[in-house]
Amino acid sequence: MKNKQEKMIIAGFGGQGVLSLGQFIGLAAISGGKEVTWLPSYGPEMRGGTSNCSVVVSDTMIASPIITAPDVVIAMNKPSVNKFLPRVKAGGVIIINSSLVEEKANRSDIKVIYLKANELAEEAGDIKTANIVALGAYLKNTDAITREQAESVIKQRFSDKPKLVTANLKALELGFANS
């Protein structure tokens, strides 16, 4: 990503780790010297309600965290696909958790990645790593952050729980390899 901004929306049900995923991307970008905004949005429910966050990563100062036409959408459930697919900018990317969304995207002007995030997370050893599987797909299909930066954030975040580091790094690899 050279002298540009990447605007993304990450969305799903509460409990799927969408806000954490946005934080991981933001922290990785900051470690790479980028400017970042992270704006969470969620319903009053803790788990099962809707949740999303907007993340902007830029080489230069960011004027606003508000995103109307994202470059990238990570949609972890069907309501998120329905809401955000029409908003993806032409030439953009949407990563769809095809574990929970069977329908195909009806857009030919964007790159659509179907990712069985839940199944791959189980393969990694922890269903709660589906968001990190999506991070792996994001890394393979964009250039806002590097894989090394993402791995470093995972290691820092779970430094007190080595089993979680291992599961999350495996989830990252599986998402990267399967997208």
Side-chain angles (χ1 to χ4, degrees):
M1 186 175 86
K2 299 219 184 307
N3 295 323
K4 75 170 203 167
Q5 283 190 350
E6 182 172 273
K7 299 176 180 182
M8 70 194 83
I9 294 175
I10 305 163
F13 293 128
Q16 287 185 299
V18 298
L19 302 181
S20 295
L21 177 51
Q23 288 177 334
F24 285 170
I25 291 170
L27 291 169
I30 289 168
S31 76
K34 305 287 185 189
E35 298 288 326
V36 174
T37 62
W38 174 79
L39 183 64
S41 174
Y42 44 89
E45 309 88 352
M46 288 299 283
R47 290 191 174 271
T50 58
S51 177
N52 69 75
C53 65
S54 300
V55 180
V56 180
V57 175
S58 179
D59 288 334
T60 59
M61 188 177 277
I62 300 167
S64 172
I66 306 301
I67 299 172
T68 54
D71 301 296
V72 178
V73 168
I74 299 173
M76 297 297 287
N77 62 12
K78 185 177 178 180
S80 298
V81 172
N82 293 343
K83 182 174 182 177
F84 295 110
L85 175 64
R87 293 177 48 188
V88 178
K89 183 166 72 173
V93 176
I94 186 167
I95 299 168
I96 297 174
N97 179 5
S98 58
S99 296
L100 300 179
V101 181
E102 294 179 10
E103 293 82 11
K104 298 299 178 194
N106 58 352
R107 300 260 318 256
S108 60
D109 61 335
I110 62 173
K111 183 174 186 176
V112 180
I113 298 155
Y114 299 100
L115 182 71
K116 294 208 170 283
N118 292 21
E119 287 88 340
L120 292 169
E122 288 176 355
E123 187 179 329
D126 188 345
I127 186 64
K128 293 178 183 175
T129 63
N131 61 337
I132 303 301
V133 171
L135 177 58
Y138 170 78
L139 290 173
K140 185 172 182 180
N141 292 283
T142 67
D143 62 357
I145 61 173
T146 68
R147 188 167 171 171
E148 294 74 24
Q149 291 164 340
E151 288 174 353
S152 177
V153 169
I154 289 169
K155 289 174 184 173
Q156 289 170 12
R157 174 73 187 265
F158 300 112
S159 63
D160 59 336
K161 299 176 183 171
K163 286 184 182 179
L164 290 181
V165 170
T166 302
N168 279 278
L169 290 176
K170 185 170 183 182
L172 187 75
E173 172 58 34
L174 289 168
F176 192 89
N178 288 281
S179 62

